Amino acid sequence: MTIAIIGAGNIGRAIATNLSKHGQQFLLANRTVSKAKHLADEIGDNATVVTVEEAIDQADTIILAIFFADEKQLIEKYQPQLAGKLVIDPSNPISFDATGTMSRTLPDGVSAGSEIKKLLLADTLYAKAFGSLDAKTLIAGGDYQDSQVILYFAADTSKAIDKVSELITNVGFAPKLVGTVDESALDIEVGGALHQMGGLNGAVPTLDSVK
């Protein structure tokens, strides 16, 4: 599995830090290359900085750790190149006003996952994952406490489920499939029933606390 993270913001930083901490080699790209280089310098030798185009070309597993609106634009631009690859999407359909107040950018009942899936070609594997926890918990990962932290995910195919489960396990979390993207992505996005900043009210889901 050749992994690429596109995005060096809070979630991209959290995922990259966790991958590096667990010895995973990966490609790191950002629209601003200097930002990716700065992050790579911080986390050590496991990250190789590339352009966005190189990341999409070289990786078979691509984590799009960018804003929902930017993700739509990226997929529309690189749709053919993403065919046959696994796209992992931690995005949330949110925006912030001048006071810092967060709001959803999609209608109630519509998930970012279902909207992004529509943009991908049929032979592109897709999973909603790495977005059910806040950045701080995502960095802590398997070192958070004695019991393994659960990362919820949604996916439609057995191949996507197997690959995402393997990746989540390799970085110290416990993978837990919640269902297909159309059925379950809304539950693991911000405000959803299984999101740390939603129905879990800030609690960290672990194997001991969730039955």
Side-chain angles (χ1 to χ4, degrees):
M1 185 186 299
T2 302
I3 304 164
I5 299 172
I6 297 177
N10 288 340
I11 295 299
R13 176 182 296 273
I15 298 171
T17 300
N18 199 266
L19 287 174
S20 183
K21 181 171 63 177
H22 288 85
Q24 297 288 309
Q25 300 285 325
F26 60 96
L27 305 175
L28 179 62
N30 193 70
R31 182 168 51 190
T32 304
V33 177
S34 60
K35 192 171 182 180
K37 289 180 177 177
H38 180 71
L39 177 55
D41 288 342
E42 281 187 7
I43 61 179
D45 297 331
N46 289 321
T48 299
V49 175
V50 295
T51 65
V52 171
E53 291 82 358
E54 289 169 338
I56 292 172
D57 180 58
Q58 296 174 25
D60 54 51
T61 298
I62 301 166
I63 303 172
L64 296 179
I66 53 180
F67 287 114
F68 173 64
D70 294 334
E71 186 176 10
K72 290 196 294 183
Q73 292 179 1
L74 183 146
I75 290 173
E76 288 168 353
K77 181 177 181 180
Y78 295 105
Q79 184 195 62
Q81 293 93 318
L82 292 168
K85 299 176 184 286
L86 171 62
V87 173
I88 297 177
D89 172 19
S91 73
N92 285 287
I94 57 174
S95 64
F96 297 88
D97 64 18
T99 67
T101 301
M102 183 182 74
S103 61
R104 277 180 52 87
T105 59
L106 288 173
D108 290 345
V110 178
S111 71
S114 63
E115 293 300 292
I116 291 298
K117 192 180 79 166
K118 293 176 185 176
L119 301 176
L120 296 165
L121 296 178
D123 59 346
T124 306
L125 300 175
Y126 176 73
K128 193 73 180 172
F130 286 94
S132 61
L133 300 171
D134 67 18
K136 181 179 178 181
T137 306
L138 197 57
I139 288 177
D143 302 325
Y144 186 82
Q145 50 191 355
D146 292 338
S147 180
Q148 265 190 310
V149 175
I150 293 171
L151 257 178
Y152 294 109
F153 74 100
D156 294 346
T157 67
S158 59
K159 188 172 182 180
I161 291 168
D162 289 346
K163 293 187 74 170
V164 173
S165 295
E166 178 186 355
L167 178 57
I168 290 174
T169 300
N170 286 347
V171 295
F173 292 97
K176 190 171 182 64
L177 177 70
V178 295
T180 66
V181 172
D182 288 339
E183 293 172 343
S184 305
L186 200 61
D187 290 335
I188 54 177
E189 294 175 4
V190 167
L194 296 175
H195 194 281
Q196 188 180 4
M197 298 295 106
L200 299 184
N201 295 315
V204 178
T206 68
L207 290 179
D208 287 345
S209 66
V210 175
K211 304 302 180 184

